[in-house]
Amino acid sequence: MKSLLQFLSKYSILLMFIALEVLSLILVTTQNQYQRSAFFSSANSISGWTYSIYSNISSYIGLKKENQVLQEENTLLKNQLTMLENQNEALREGLAADYTYADHDYNFISARVINASVNKNHNYLTLNKGKRDGVRVNMGVVNSDGVVGIVCSVGERFSTVIPAINTDAAISCKVKNSNNMGFLKWDGRDYRYCQLKDMAKHIELNVGDTVLTSGVSSIFPSNIMVGTIKEINTAESDAYHQIVVTLSTNYNQLGYVNIVSNNTQIEQLAQEHEYMD
Amino acid sequence: MNIWIKNILRFLIVMCLQILLINNLQLWGLCSPCFYLLFLFALPPTLPRWAELIIGALTGLIIDIFTNTLGVNMAACILVSYLRPIFIKTMIQDNDRLTDTLNLKTVTPSVYIRLITILIAIHHFVLFNLEAFSLSNWWLTLIHIVLSSVATLLLILLADILVD
């Protein structure tokens, strides 16, 4: 017993060092990307608050350009709205009027990006909306250019998002005008490009084709812009195409985004919870 | 000024600079300097080792919480806090060790630069390898380590020269 105590006091600093290192390595390895506690991420109130103050100040710098982009998007949406209204009218006349949509019902929650990184393998964004505003884990995030990412942890007033440029992210995609689905992965190199995986070799693709969300996962509505095919490098021995996609979203200049809240998904999850309890 | 207030002030300034300014510098996605190491380097050399370990761990944890890299900076900082007193003991003369801070002015410049270069290199090596957590892009990680180390070293020396 005495020699044990002597040993402990002699090597106390080394033991403490090892204990702390083990603790931090446990933190590194056990953090579950999707169910992570909001306390230890930038969605907690102190860091969220710091970032939102900073972003309040710095957002004035890009305000003019942001305004212009919003203006343009507004016009575009208005045009689409009138077009759809006309189309709807025509369809309703054709369909005896009491047709209800079976499709998913999506709502959008507007939010501002208050912190973002592009230079890591595991990049994250922080948004200034949280549980209070109806944000939940696994909601999709889009902006006027296209897909941004998926919500991974939610605090009371802030939330963090795994963007497409995180090596853990995978977003279900399709190529426009075909129903072949694949998924989007990032290799950790350049934040402007992603890889499109799981596209079998027999599928005919061209450089410049548009990549859209597939809508099967119900995280994103279908047909949201992801990017365009930049190059296809398929070797003779490959079973799948090696596709590089230019992302339509510029992750270096994110301002305002929309969080996609899927009403049927919430109902579905609530039901699943009931069965579990 | 009281040594406590001095260190707390240094902590706040360095952390604010790191989190709000330096983390937003994205030079080709390959250079992310860790300026906050200045705080750990400038701690009093007379500080008990257990206290230094805990301060290192907390500093790393705070950076991690802000950058969503839980445990990564913490591991690297603990290693720096563990190694710093050992290096001080072997590299720096006794009479220099009695000052209440460690910077370019309190110890011989060449010794100081050598000391922090080694610590920065070790810190960045651990940091970026843990962050990548794979060997698939090892050369990219290596470039990242080298560029960031140089940038960190220059920033810290610049701060030492500019601020008394």
Side-chain angles (χ1 to χ4, degrees):
Chain A
M1 190 63 198
K2 201 180 166 196
S3 57
L4 177 71
L5 284 178
Q6 260 175 355
F7 173 83
L8 284 180
S9 68
K10 192 175 173 194
Y11 291 105
S12 59
I13 294 298
L14 182 65
L15 290 173
M16 187 176 162
F17 164 68
I18 293 172
L20 281 170
E21 281 291 5
V22 169
L23 175 71
S24 58
L25 290 180
I26 289 172
L27 287 179
V28 173
T29 48
T30 58
Q31 52 171 331
N32 186 330
Q33 304 298 345
Y34 285 92
Q35 305 292 324
R36 174 142 39 135
S37 120
F39 180 75
F40 279 119
S41 74
S42 58
N44 82 41
S45 46
I46 297 172
S47 46
W49 178 76
T50 317
Y51 278 137
S52 69
I53 287 182
Y54 178 69
S55 128
N56 274 340
I57 298 165
S58 59
S59 64
Y60 282 106
I61 299 166
L63 211 56
K64 201 171 170 191
K65 202 176 164 211
E66 188 79 30
N67 254 336
Q68 198 184 343
V69 174
L70 286 174
Q71 190 79 41
E72 279 166 15
E73 200 199 353
N74 242 342
T75 331
L76 189 78
L77 288 175
K78 261 185 199 151
N79 288 341
Q80 274 179 357
L81 184 71
T82 30
M83 194 189 78
L84 287 173
E85 266 174 358
N86 292 342
Q87 224 171 42
N88 199 4
E89 198 74 20
L91 284 173
R92 205 173 283 218
E93 277 167 19
L95 269 175
D98 59 343
Y99 179 79
T100 49
Y101 288 98
D103 204 352
H104 295 301
D105 191 4
Y106 293 97
N107 282 336
F108 293 95
I109 304 166
S110 148
R112 204 175 74 225
V113 177
I114 54 174
N115 177 47
S117 68
V118 297
N119 54 357
K120 305 198 182 79
N121 271 343
H122 303 281
N123 293 306
Y124 290 93
L125 315 174
T126 313
L127 306 183
N128 67 343
K129 292 284 164 76
K131 214 176 277 170
R132 231 174 38 162
D133 311 286
V135 182
R136 300 284 176 271
V137 169
N138 272 341
M139 284 182 172
V141 179
V142 300
N143 73 356
S144 50
D145 294 326
V147 164
V148 175
I150 297 166
V151 175
C152 70
S153 66
V154 182
E156 198 52 40
R157 297 172 54 195
F158 303 98
S159 51
T160 48
V161 173
I162 297 191
I165 52 158
N166 181 317
T167 48
D168 289 331
I171 294 171
S172 172
C173 292
K174 68 181 180 193
V175 176
K176 196 177 181 180
N177 297 332
S178 86
N179 280 327
N180 297 301
M181 278 184 291
F183 63 93
L184 198 71
K185 263 282 181 193
W186 191 54
D187 61 0
R189 292 185 194 175
D190 194 324
Y191 64 86
R192 288 171 299 177
Y193 308 111
C194 265
Q195 279 66 43
L196 183 58
K197 307 270 184 187
D198 253 18
M199 281 288 181
K201 206 173 164 185
H202 63 85
I203 301 166
E204 273 191 33
L205 297 170
N206 298 310
V207 171
D209 280 356
T210 310
V211 181
L212 304 170
T213 53
S214 66
V216 283
S217 63
S218 83
I219 291 176
F220 294 104
S222 49
N223 296 327
I224 288 200
M225 182 74 177
V226 173
T228 49
I229 295 183
K230 181 181 173 250
E231 50 191 66
I232 305 171
N233 314 309
T234 313
E236 201 60 32
S237 56
D238 290 342
Y240 295 97
H241 283 303
Q242 308 281 326
I243 305 168
V244 180
V245 177
T246 309
L247 295 171
S248 57
T249 307
N250 181 356
Y251 284 95
N252 220 355
Q253 289 181 341
L254 285 175
Y256 288 86
V257 294
N258 286 315
I259 303 165
V260 185
S261 145
N262 180 344
N263 299 337
T264 46
Q265 187 191 22
I266 292 169
E267 273 168 37
Q268 196 184 328
L269 287 177
Q271 273 176 1
E272 277 167 16
H273 270 286
E274 260 172 42
Y275 291 138
M276 297 237 265
D277 298 338
Chain B
M1 223 188 319
N2 185 325
I3 185 169
W4 278 90
I5 299 174
K6 232 178 190 168
N7 275 289
I8 290 171
L9 267 180
R10 192 186 294 126
F11 175 79
L12 290 176
I13 295 170
V14 163
M15 287 307 231
C16 283
L17 278 175
Q18 176 74 41
I19 291 165
L20 298 180
L21 199 69
I22 296 171
N23 281 350
N24 290 327
L25 292 178
Q26 278 149 1
L27 306 165
W28 319 288
L30 280 176
C31 181
S32 23
C34 299
F35 179 66
Y36 69 88
L37 284 175
L38 174 70
F39 167 71
L40 294 181
F41 293 156
L43 284 172
T46 47
L47 196 68
R49 293 195 65 188
W50 61 268
E52 187 161 354
L53 277 177
I54 289 178
I55 291 173
L58 288 178
T59 310
L61 186 66
I62 291 170
I63 292 284
D64 279 334
I65 287 175
F66 274 94
T67 54
N68 292 307
T69 50
L70 197 55
V72 175
N73 280 286
M74 191 176 162
C77 284
I78 293 167
L79 189 60
V80 167
S81 312
Y82 180 72
L83 292 177
R84 195 188 77 128
I86 298 175
F87 285 157
I88 288 178
K89 212 171 181 178
T90 52
M91 293 170 77
I92 294 179
Q93 306 303 318
D94 274 340
N95 49 347
D96 282 337
R97 251 188 272 160
L98 297 172
T99 53
D100 61 357
T101 181
L102 199 71
N103 62 35
L104 208 52
K105 282 151 193 143
T106 57
V107 289
T108 329
S110 63
V111 176
Y112 175 71
I113 293 173
R114 207 183 314 151
L115 176 80
I116 66 168
T117 309
I118 297 173
L119 285 175
I120 289 172
I122 294 172
H123 176 274
H124 284 38
F125 182 81
V126 173
L127 180 74
F128 292 117
N129 276 304
L130 272 182
E131 212 252 324
F133 220 76
S134 79
L135 292 175
S136 58
N137 281 336
W138 64 271
W139 50 272
L140 202 69
T141 313
L142 196 67
I143 297 171
H144 208 151
I145 292 170
V146 173
L147 282 180
S148 306
S149 298
V150 173
T152 307
L153 184 65
L154 291 179
L155 276 176
I156 289 179
L157 290 179
L158 191 72
D160 273 340
I161 293 167
L162 290 180
V163 184
D164 277 320

